[in-house]
Amino acid sequence: MNNSSTPVLRLENVARHYGELVIVEEIDFSLKAGETVALLGPSGSGKSSLLHIAGLLETASAGEVHILGRPTSKLNDAERTHIRRNTLGFVYQFHHLLPEFTALGNVALPQLIAGVKRKDAEAEARRLLTLMGLGERVEHQPGQLSGGEQQRTAIARALANNPNILLADEPTGNLDPKTSDVVFDALLKLVRNEGLSALIATHDQRLANRMD
């Protein structure tokens, strides 16, 4: 259980360089328990790189990433993988669903990988999909779902292992404005209902204004 006074995510003087190219520099940031925060900026400003560092998908060139109060720079690959699987949820601009699985199967799969029994994994997948407004679509494969439904399925999958932190990279950036609103409404509702903290990268000031 995270101490409420400790940020669930803290970046301390984080930098990322590729040779002479500076992607981000001297980033200090804290995300509190239950807080939704927009990472706002135009394309190419380093939002994705910063999310990848926060999510332990990339290693910072300098600085430290603390997750639930734990510094992560000296962790080995297995320890980083454990945190990604059990503490973090990821949503990307493209849904990356497995086409041969149903919506239910896609959301159950991360739980099965984590060792959850199939019956329990499918029950939790059904609960999350229902909360995302997809209760009648659980047996449909991605190719039978609309773009908005696919992205809502991807959001449910990101929360399947009950993470503490959701990291989302332009989660509605590939959708038309009307569908984007529907998906973003569902995302915020689910994040708040589940008591999560969320860092959401966007270039859309309108969406950013709806976060904490």
Side-chain angles (χ1 to χ4, degrees):
M1 182 67 67
N2 181 52
N3 185 325
S4 60
S5 66
T6 303
V8 294
L9 172 66
R10 182 162 67 91
L11 307 184
E12 183 180 17
N13 201 31
V14 162
R16 186 70 168 107
H17 304 154
Y18 292 98
E20 297 296 316
L21 181 63
V22 177
I23 306 301
V24 293
E25 184 83 338
E26 296 182 352
I27 301 294
D28 290 287
F29 168 76
S30 293
L31 180 67
K32 300 174 185 175
E35 187 176 37
T36 59
V37 172
L39 179 58
L40 189 64
S43 297
S45 60
K47 301 188 302 298
S48 294
S49 291
L50 196 61
L51 280 182
H52 290 169
I53 291 168
L56 308 186
L57 294 168
E58 292 185 27
T59 302
S61 303
E64 183 63 86
V65 177
H66 302 261
I67 295 178
L68 303 185
R70 181 185 186 186
T72 61
S73 62
K74 297 189 184 330
L75 299 182
N76 61 36
D77 286 344
E79 291 169 324
R80 292 165 71 88
T81 297
H82 184 269
I83 290 175
R84 286 197 301 267
R85 187 178 64 214
N86 297 290
T87 305
L88 304 172
F90 297 90
V91 180
Y92 300 98
Q93 182 173 347
F94 300 98
H95 54 77
H96 299 300
L97 298 175
L98 297 175
E100 66 272 26
F101 287 86
T102 63
L104 188 73
N106 269 281
V107 180
L109 186 60
Q111 302 172 75
L112 296 174
I113 293 171
V116 177
K117 293 180 180 178
R118 179 173 295 276
K119 180 180 178 181
D120 294 334
E122 290 184 349
E124 176 64 3
R126 192 176 298 275
R127 183 186 76 86
L128 289 168
L129 287 165
T130 299
L131 287 172
M132 293 298 289
L134 297 172
E136 303 298 318
R137 309 287 278 168
V138 297
E139 298 298 341
H140 289 67
Q141 291 178 310
Q144 299 170 305
L145 301 174
S146 70
E149 289 171 338
Q150 290 172 350
Q151 194 65 336
R152 281 185 277 162
T153 301
I155 292 166
R157 180 185 57 188
L159 302 186
N161 281 336
N162 192 29
N164 300 81
I165 304 163
L166 179 70
L167 302 173
D169 192 359
E170 298 278 7
T172 63
N174 197 38
L175 304 172
D176 65 82
K178 183 177 179 180
T179 305
S180 173
D181 285 343
V182 171
V183 171
F184 200 75
D185 285 343
L187 171 61
L188 284 184
K189 181 178 180 181
L190 189 58
V191 163
R192 286 168 175 154
N193 284 350
E194 300 294 300
L196 296 176
S197 306
L199 179 60
I200 303 174
T202 182
H203 64 272
D204 190 334
Q205 182 70 57
R206 185 175 57 90
L207 297 182
N209 288 342
R210 298 179 59 193
M211 291 179 254
D212 297 328

